[in-house]
Amino acid sequence: NAQYPNAQYPNAQYPNAQYPNAQYPNAQYPNAQYPNAQYPNAPHSGQLHPGAIYGMQMPPPPASLTGQLRWSEVDEIPSQYKIGAARRRWFTYIVSGLIAVSVAAGVTFLVIRLSRDATPTTGSVHVVSVPTGADVWFDGTLMGDRTPLTIEPVPIGTRHKIEVSLRHYQRYTEEVSIPKAGGTVQMLAQLTSLTGKIAINTTPGGAQIWINGQPRGMTPTTLSGIDIDSTPSIELMHKDFGKYLVPLKWDAAGVAYVDYKFSH
């Protein structure tokens, strides 16, 4: 009545018959539910609707493309499923490491693929000789190693002269071409023994000469067409002195000299 004195609103205007207590009984809206300190003299219902509280809050941000939870949903996750700061940090390290490894693998694959697809500019020549240990000349230049050896790099689409030389063997010569596709060209040098001659003299003379188990005449004599590689020695047999094995020393010209004196 302090707010609306009877003088302003006489009972004649709002008689009790118009708003009988039977229509709004005090049991339905007790004064204890509406303290005047919170809502003075204002008739409100006893409870707030749940939508009224959420309606006053800011709308939650939508989920991002990475599937992160909205801020309003974080509090709804049980504590046992939440990731602590330390775990989040380790999780970040692990994900970053996996990404780094994936990127490195991709770059390595790309480099290998580009290297394979790149057109070669050089090739090589692999030289083998029989027997081994021969000197090799490449376009007139003596190589530092002996057979077997690989000469590289050699420009593609070029032609080169290769010579193989071994003492007491005929020199081997071959020309090789490096294909435009690159790669290694194989070269096999089958060396042929040089034939030489042996000048033989004995004291006394008249000794029989044996070479590789075959008789080749009597001393003194000179034998030609001797296979140098297979003839490291000869045998001399005299009727008065018996048989003797004599080693040979071949010079660079393919000649061996023998001057043997028999004795008892």
Side-chain angles (χ1 to χ4, degrees), residues 6 8-9 30 32 47 50 75 122 142 144 154 159 168 180 187 202 217 244 252:
N6 294 333
Q8 188 174 359
Y9 301 95
Q47 296 180 350
D75 294 335
T122 61
L142 178 63
V154 184
R159 190 172 180 84
H168 302 154
K180 293 183 178 180
M187 173 181 164
T202 61
Y244 291 87

Side-chain angles (χ1 to χ4, degrees), residues 136-211:
V136 178
W137 279 262
F138 182 77
D139 289 338
T141 301
L142 178 63
M143 298 288 98
D145 296 329
R146 294 180 176 178
T147 58
L149 81 161
T150 300
I151 304 172
E152 60 181 352
V154 184
I156 61 173
T158 56
R159 190 172 180 84
H160 304 274
K161 181 180 179 181
I162 298 178
E163 298 174 274
V164 180
S165 175
L166 183 63
R167 184 181 173 87
H168 302 154
Y169 287 86
Q170 297 179 9
R171 182 179 290 261
Y172 181 91
T173 302
E174 183 178 341
E175 290 189 356
V176 297
S177 298
I178 308 301
K180 293 183 178 180
T184 301
V185 177
Q186 301 291 336
M187 173 181 164
L188 174 62
Q190 186 73 48
L191 303 179
T192 302
S193 298
L194 289 172
T195 58
K197 63 181 181 179
I198 307 174
I200 308 170
N201 184 45
T202 61
T203 303
Q208 191 176 15
I209 303 169
W210 291 76
I211 298 178

Side-chain angles (χ1 to χ4, degrees), residues 12-87:
Q13 186 175 0
Y14 300 95
N16 293 334
Q18 189 175 359
Y19 300 96
N21 293 334
Q23 187 177 2
Y24 301 98
N26 292 332
Q28 185 176 3
Y29 300 98
N31 294 331
Q33 280 186 290
Y34 305 96
N36 293 333
Q38 184 177 4
Y39 301 103
N41 299 326
H44 294 282
S45 62
Q47 296 180 350
L48 292 176
H49 190 276
I53 297 177
Y54 290 98
M56 299 172 63
Q57 297 178 352
M58 294 296 294
S64 64
L65 295 178
T66 58
Q68 296 178 347
L69 294 174
R70 296 191 299 268
W71 290 109
S72 62
E73 295 176 347
V74 173
D75 294 335
E76 299 176 6
I77 301 177
S79 58
Q80 63 268 28
Y81 297 110
K82 293 183 180 180
I83 302 177
R87 292 186 178 179

